[in-house]
Amino acid sequence: MTTADEPTLHMIGHAHIDPVWLWQWPEGCQEALATFRSALDRMREDDEFTFMASTAALYDWVRLVDPEMFAELRERVAEGRWEVVGGWWVEPDCNIPTGESFVRQALVGQRWFHQHLGVTATIGFNPDSFGHNAMLPQILSRSGLEAYSFMRPSDHELGLPGRTFWWESDDGSRILSFRIPFEYLTWGREFDAHVKRCAAELRPPHRHMMCYYGVGNHGGGPTRANIARIGDLQSDGLEGPDAPTVVMSTPSQFFAAVRDQGLDLPVVHGELQSHARGCYAAHTRVKAWNRRAEHRLLDAERLVAVAARTVDVHVEADFQRAWRNVLFNQFHDILPGTSIASAYVDTRDELGEATAIANRAASHALQAMSHRVAIELIDDTMPIVVFNPHSWDVTAPVEMEVGRLPEHPVVQMDDGQVLPVQLVQSEATVSGGRQRIVFRPTVPPVGHVLARIVAGTPSAISTADSAADLAPGSSAETGNESDEVDDAVAGATLSLGADHDWAGTDVSDELILDNGRVRARFTARDGFAGLYDAAHDLELLASPARVEMIADTTDTWSHGLHRFDGDTSVLDVRGVRLVEDGPVRRCVRVEYGHGNSRLDLDVRVYAGSSVVEVAGLVDWHDPHHVLKLRLPLDLRMPRANFEIPFGRIERATDGTEVPGQRWVDMSGVDRGTNLVRGLTVSNDGKHSFDADAEVLGITLVRSPIHAHHDPKVPGADTRYHHQGMGRHAFRLWLSPHAGTWADAGAARLAMETNQPLTGVVESVHDGTLPARGSFLSIDHDNVLVSALKPAEDGHGLVIRCYEASGRAVSTTIRLHGLQRRIAADFGPHEITTFLVPDDPDQPVAEVNLLEWPDS
C-alpha cells in the first residue's frame, strides 16, 4: 500500500448489479450469482486482486442458491480482499422512501452482514441513485458508516467544491463523501481512456483518487483483461510527469488514506440534486403502493408492541419478510418508475404481501386490545373502540363499514360527549344490511377510546338526489366508478341532515362550504374557486385552482428536463355538485375533463376542522402527458418547503420539478395584514411538485413509455406500455395556517393523514383495559415518534423519535403503559433511538439506528 504522500489512483474492482431494471428479479438473481462467481475466480488467479460489493439482498440470493460459493465468499471477506460496502439491503432511491425506510435499509442490511459474514459495512455506497436527500449524513453516520460514495448527480448537474468533501445535514452530522468521476463501470476497449480520465482528476493538494472499473449494470465485474492491464500500469506507470501510482484497492483504504493526508476539506450542506426529475412522478402507482406498505408496517409494529405490553398478547408477524419486500422494491430502478412493465407485476405482489402481513398483524393486535376493553351491556348500542397511533391527542374522521344501525344514530363517547354520525355510501351497494359511517372523535396519544353508536333524535334526511347541482346536464351517476377499493372516493353519498354550524349555501351561482373556520367556494365556470381561512381572515387562492395537462415527450427519466413546460391545456369544468350534506361533513364534487381523460375532486369540509380534504379520482387516457393540480396562492414573497426523510428543505420558487414526501408548504406575507400566513398540503402518495412564484403545483400523473431511455426513438408502428393509464385514487389535505410550516405543525398533519385513526366494532365483554387509555405521550409537539416497535434482539421496546420543526428542545417521553419516563434532549432535526428493556429494573439506553450501543 502507498503512503499518504504519494499521488495514488485507487483501482476499485466493482460490478454494478441492477437486480431489476430491463429484466425481472429472477434474471437479477442469476446475474448476481454469475458476477460473484467471476470475482471469486479472479481472486484465485491473482493474489493482488480486490473486489467490493454492496446490497445484502444479492448476498442473500447467493447464500440461498449456492451455499458452497457463499462459504468461499465468506473466506475472502475474512481475508480482507472482498470488501462489503453499502450496508443497505439494496441501493435505494434516495428521495421517495420515508425516513424510517432508510433506517430499515441499514437495520436489515447491516445486521444481515453481521450475522452471515461477521462484518458490517463502514463505507456507504449508492452510485446510481438519482439524487440524495439532505438528511442522509445523519442517517448514514448513525448506521455505522464512516464515509459515502456516490456518482449522481454528475458534474454537469451539480457543482461541488471537489471530488472529496464533508457532507453535512441540518442536525450538524457530517460524513466524508466522494463523488465518482465519469462512470462506475468500464467496457472493453474503453478501459484505458477511463483510467486516464480518472487520473487527470487527481490535482494538488489531493493525493488520492478512486477509479471504479468492471463490467456493470447487468453485472459482470472486472475481467481478466482489466486485471492484466492494471498489472501493466503498475509496472510501466501512467504517462505524464505527475502521474499517480496505480494500486488495486478498496474504498475503505482510499478513505483511510484521505483522512491520513489531513486536508481541510470543504463542507457541503444540504441535498445532492438533481438527476432525472421525471422519476418523481413516473409510475405513480408504485409510489402509492410503497407509501401504503411503509405506513401500514409502522402502524402494525406499533400496535403489536403495545399489545404485548398492555394485554400480554404476542402477535406473530413476519415483519422481517415484509420489510425486506418493501426495501427491495425501493431499489433505484424500481421505485422511481424506470423498470420494464412486467417488473411491476412482481413489485405489486411483493408490496401487497408486505401490506397483507402488516394488515394481519395490525388487526390481530387491535382486536387483542379492543377485546380486553371492559364494555358493559347497554341495549340498542354498538360499541366501537378507536385507536390513535400518534403521540398526541388526535381529532380526526373515522370512516368505517358497520352492520345495521339504530335509528337516527349518534356517537356517545366514554365521557358522555355526543358526536354526530353521518351516513355515506356503503361499498355493499347491493345490500341494505351494511352501512358506512363517518364520525370525528378525539383519541388520546398512542391510545384508545370507547365510543358507542346510539339512537339520537329524529332529523331531516337528505339524499344525493336532492343535492345541489351547478351544471345542468352533468352526470348524475352515484355508483363507485373504480375497480379498486381505494377508489371508492368516487361514489356519491346518502347522508343525514342535522342541526349543526354549517353556513347557508347559495346554489344559484356558487356553492359554499363554510364551517366557521374555513370556507371553500365553488362556481360552475371555475370549479374549486376559493379557499378562505376564517381564523386568520385570509383568502388563500388568488384565482381558482386549475388542472393542467402538459405535453411531455421526454423519456422515462426526463433526462435534461428541469420543469414540465410543454404545450398546456387547462381541463374544462364539466360539473360541480353537492354530493354530501350532513352533520359531520359536506362535500362538493368538481368534475374536470379533457378528451377521454377526467379528474373528479371531492372537496370535503368537516365540522370543527380547518383542514379541507380533497379525494381525487383520475381516469387517465393521454400518453406522453403530465397532469398537474395548481393552487395559485395570494401571498407575497412565498417560500416553499418540502418534507424530506426526517426533515424538510426549502427550495426556490422557480418552477423546477422537485421531490417531496408527505407534505409541502407555501408560506408568505398576507397582502392585507403583512403577517406570515400559508398553506400546508399533505398527500397519501405523491412525490413530484413545483413552486412557480406563488403557484404550488402537484403532479398527479405522468405517462411516459416504460423504460424508455434517450436516445432511443420509439417506433411509430410499435405497441408500447405507457405508465399511468387508467384509474388512480389519491387524497390531499389542505391546511391554512398562521406563521410558517414549523408553526403549523406540518409534519404532524402528514402523520395524521397517512396513519389515520382506526375503529374496531366490538361486542359486550369484561376486560382489563379501561374505556380510555394512553400508552405513550411526549411533552413537546415538535418531537415525533417515527417508530415504536419490538426490539430486533427480541427483548425490549424500541422508540425512535425525531425533532420536526428545527428547534432544539428538552422534553420527556412518558410511557404510561410501562410507568417509565425518558428525559431527552433533541437538537434541531435530530434523530434519537431508545431501547426500553422489558426488565423494569434495567435502565433505558440510547442506541444507534442498528439498535446497538454507540461504540
Side-chain angles (χ1 to χ4, degrees):
M1 187 61 195
T2 61
T3 69
D5 294 331
E6 297 174 340
T8 304
L9 187 64
H10 296 251
M11 299 300 298
I12 309 297
H14 169 55
H16 183 66
I17 299 176
D18 289 329
V20 175
W21 180 29
L22 307 181
W23 44 84
Q24 292 174 261
W25 73 261
E27 188 172 337
C29 178
Q30 190 281 326
E31 74 185 58
L33 290 163
T35 299
F36 283 19
R37 179 68 269 159
S38 176
L40 291 168
D41 290 345
R42 302 294 79 77
M43 287 184 174
R44 290 179 179 178
E45 297 164 359
D46 191 305
D47 291 339
E48 292 188 11
F49 173 64
T50 56
F51 184 74
M52 54 143 277
S54 70
T55 308
L58 303 183
Y59 287 83
D60 199 43
W61 280 343
V62 174
R63 180 184 68 88
L64 294 171
V65 175
D66 193 338
E68 186 174 326
M69 191 210 303
F70 187 74
E72 182 181 351
L73 187 158
R74 189 164 51 237
E75 292 177 0
R76 294 304 189 186
V77 170
E79 184 184 1
R81 293 175 60 197
W82 183 303
E83 180 158 279
V84 172
V85 298
W88 286 347
W89 190 246
V90 297
E91 295 174 9
D93 175 84
C94 286
N95 283 312
I96 296 167
T98 190
E100 195 61 34
S101 286
F102 288 102
V103 173
R104 305 311 172 95
Q105 287 285 354
L107 182 69
V108 175
Q110 291 280 55
R111 280 176 166 265
W112 190 96
F113 285 130
H114 185 265
Q115 177 184 354
H116 295 287
L117 293 175
V119 300
T120 55
T122 59
I123 309 300
F125 183 75
N126 197 6
D128 202 26
S129 183
F130 307 149
H132 307 263
N133 74 76
M135 291 298 286
L136 277 178
Q138 181 177 190
I139 296 169
L140 292 164
S141 62
R142 297 195 180 198
S143 303
L145 299 168
E146 301 170 358
Y148 188 58
S149 185
F150 69 100
M151 188 182 78
R152 305 188 196 281
S154 299
D155 294 359
H156 69 285
E157 296 166 315
L158 175 68
L160 290 173
R163 291 282 167 202
T164 309
F165 57 93
W166 290 103
W167 185 22
E168 182 180 70
S169 54
D170 278 353
D171 71 301
S173 296
R174 290 183 180 180
I175 191 163
L176 187 59
S177 300
F178 175 82
R179 178 160 66 179
I180 299 169
F182 307 111
E183 266 292 2
Y184 50 69
L185 50 75
T186 53
W187 294 94
R189 288 172 293 180
E190 299 175 0
F191 182 82
D192 275 19
H194 177 65
V195 173
K196 290 177 181 178
R197 286 197 305 266
C198 291
E201 290 291 300
L202 184 54
R203 305 181 184 98
H206 298 276
R207 311 297 285 175
H208 297 273
M209 175 64 56
M210 280 196 283
C211 179
Y212 286 81
Y213 73 98
V215 179
N217 288 345
H218 198 270
T223 65
R224 290 188 179 95
N226 294 159
I227 296 169
R229 184 61 184 137
I230 292 172
D232 294 340
L233 293 173
Q234 289 176 318
S235 299
D236 303 335
L238 286 167
E239 297 177 0
D242 298 319
T245 300
V246 176
V247 299
M248 288 187 178
S249 186
T250 62
S252 63
Q253 291 172 336
F254 163 79
F255 282 111
V258 169
R259 284 190 172 90
D260 287 345
Q261 193 179 347
L263 293 178
D264 185 15
L265 295 172
V267 176
V268 175
H269 185 93
E271 63 184 355
L272 304 178
Q273 306 285 9
S274 286
H275 178 85
R277 295 177 188 268
C279 291
Y280 313 146
H283 207 301
T284 187
R285 286 188 177 92
V286 74
K287 293 168 173 61
W289 298 336
N290 173 74
R291 178 79 69 83
R292 181 176 63 178
E294 286 177 320
H295 287 83
R296 287 306 289 153
L297 276 169
L298 294 176
D299 273 346
E301 288 178 336
R302 195 164 301 194
L303 290 164
V304 166
V306 173
R309 287 156 182 83
T310 56
V311 295
D312 199 27
V313 173
H314 298 268
V315 174
E316 292 186 7
D318 195 350
F319 286 136
Q320 185 176 87
R321 174 186 290 276
W323 272 113
R324 287 183 178 186
N325 283 5
V326 172
L327 300 177
F328 182 85
N329 286 287
Q330 291 174 345
F331 178 70
H332 64 257
D333 276 317
I334 300 176
L335 191 53
T338 56
S339 294
I340 57 174
S342 57
Y344 290 101
V345 177
D346 299 331
T347 296
R348 178 201 64 195
D349 294 346
E350 290 162 6
L351 291 178
E353 181 186 33
T355 304
I357 290 170
N359 286 340
R360 280 194 297 273
S363 180
H364 293 160
L366 277 169
Q367 296 198 47
M369 289 185 285
S370 69
H371 190 65
R372 287 162 177 81
V373 174
I375 303 175
E376 65 178 311
L377 174 63
I378 302 177
D379 291 339
D380 300 322
T381 68
M382 177 187 294
I384 297 176
V385 179
V386 184
F387 290 84
N388 169 19
H390 304 294
S391 57
W392 59 91
D393 286 341
V394 172
T395 303
V398 174
E399 190 170 333
M400 57 190 301
E401 296 277 333
V402 298
R404 291 189 178 275
L405 294 168
E407 194 172 6
H408 313 303
V410 294
V411 170
Q412 186 170 36
M413 302 301 293
D414 66 304
D415 59 1
Q417 181 185 17
V418 176
L419 303 176
V421 171
Q422 185 167 329
L423 272 66
V424 296
Q425 180 179 312
S426 171
E427 294 175 19
T429 56
V430 298
S431 170
R434 295 290 292 175
Q435 294 170 299
R436 190 172 185 85
I437 61 172
V438 59
F439 62 102
R440 197 165 168 271
T442 299
V443 188
V446 191
H448 71 274
V449 68
L450 174 63
R452 291 179 183 270
I453 305 292
V454 302
T457 57
S459 57
I461 300 290
S462 65
T463 69
D465 293 336
S466 65
D469 191 338
L470 294 187
S474 67
S475 172
E477 65 268 352
T478 60
N480 182 4
E481 301 179 16
S482 172
D483 296 330
E484 299 281 349
V485 173
D486 284 347
D487 295 344
V489 297
T493 64
L494 178 70
S495 61
L496 282 177
D499 293 331
H500 50 75
D501 60 353
W502 295 117
T505 301
D506 177 6
V507 298
S508 60
D509 58 1
E510 66 179 12
L511 283 170
I512 295 176
L513 304 184
D514 187 344
N515 66 359
R517 297 186 178 210
V518 68
R519 182 167 68 229
R521 184 171 62 88
F522 308 85
T523 69
R525 185 187 69 178
D526 295 322
F528 187 11
L531 180 62
Y532 176 73
D533 177 7
H536 306 106
D537 190 23
L538 172 64
E539 174 56 54
L540 280 157
L541 294 186
S543 59
R546 63 183 186 270
V547 182
E548 294 180 352
M549 188 169 73
I550 306 168
D552 171 31
T553 58
T554 59
D555 65 9
T556 313
W557 290 256
S558 292
H559 284 111
L561 176 137
H562 294 279
R563 58 186 295 167
F564 293 115
D565 56 3
D567 292 341
T568 301
S569 302
V570 177
L571 272 65
D572 299 326
V573 178
R574 293 179 173 176
V576 178
R577 294 184 291 140
L578 181 66
V579 294
E580 292 181 4
D581 184 11
V584 177
R585 72 188 185 201
R586 278 185 169 183
C587 175
V588 168
R589 177 169 306 146
V590 185
E591 300 166 350
Y592 300 90
H594 186 281
N596 293 322
S597 293
R598 64 180 289 177
L599 167 66
D600 291 352
L601 295 181
D602 281 11
V603 183
R604 297 168 177 159
V605 174
Y606 289 83
S609 174
S610 60
V611 177
V612 176
E613 181 182 78
V614 181
L617 178 66
V618 179
D619 192 5
W620 190 245
H621 301 281
D622 284 278
H624 300 295
H625 282 82
V626 167
L627 184 68
K628 271 188 175 285
L629 174 64
R630 295 202 184 277
L631 302 174
L633 302 182
D634 193 13
L635 298 169
R636 292 188 299 113
M637 297 181 287
R639 300 174 68 176
N641 281 274
F642 303 80
E643 186 186 36
I644 61 174
F646 294 123
R648 63 92 213 181
I649 193 164
E650 182 175 340
R651 298 193 179 101
T653 57
D654 59 2
T656 56
E657 200 74 7
V658 296
Q661 299 201 318
R662 297 170 299 185
W663 65 265
V664 57
D665 182 273
M666 283 190 72
S667 299
V669 176
D670 173 13
R671 299 177 192 277
T673 65
N674 283 329
L675 298 175
V676 176
R677 302 284 186 258
L679 180 71
T680 299
V681 180
S682 177
N683 70 84
D684 69 348
K686 300 305 174 189
H687 290 273
S688 193
F689 308 91
D690 73 274
D692 193 355
E694 297 87 11
V695 180
L696 174 62
I698 304 158
T699 305
L700 303 177
V701 180
R702 181 171 174 257
S703 49
I705 296 171
H706 271 282
H708 169 216
H709 197 306
D710 285 343
K712 174 69 175 179
V713 178
D717 299 325
T718 303
R719 177 184 293 175
Y720 292 100
H721 292 283
H722 287 85
Q723 298 179 355
M725 297 295 103
R727 289 174 174 161
H728 309 258
F730 65 90
R731 294 197 184 194
L732 308 173
W733 291 266
L734 314 182
S735 180
H737 61 79
T740 67
W741 63 273
D743 302 318
R748 284 171 50 137
L749 172 68
M751 281 189 166
E752 288 182 15
T753 51
N754 279 267
Q755 295 171 266
L757 303 180
T758 304
V760 176
V761 175
E762 262 301 341
S763 56
V764 174
H765 45 64
D766 295 331
T768 57
L769 294 182
R772 176 182 295 264
S774 172
F775 182 80
L776 178 152
S777 64
I778 301 178
D779 285 356
H780 290 78
D781 60 10
N782 59 322
V783 175
L784 306 183
V785 175
S786 173
L788 177 63
K789 60 183 287 293
E792 292 295 305
D793 292 334
H795 303 287
L797 178 71
V798 166
I799 307 169
R800 185 160 24 259
C801 302
Y802 70 102
E803 196 288 312
S805 298
R807 306 190 307 265
V809 65
S810 297
T811 193
T812 300
I813 302 167
R814 302 177 187 276
L815 292 163
H816 309 291
L818 301 178
Q819 290 78 51
R820 283 189 186 247
R821 295 184 180 186
I822 305 171
D825 296 326
F826 287 83
H829 302 292
E830 184 178 6
I831 310 161
T832 303
T833 306
F834 302 98
L835 175 63
V836 183
D838 288 331
D839 184 347
D841 294 328
Q842 293 184 11
V844 174
E846 188 173 328
V847 294
N848 64 18
L849 297 181
L850 308 181
E851 300 181 16
W852 293 335
D854 281 317
S855 55

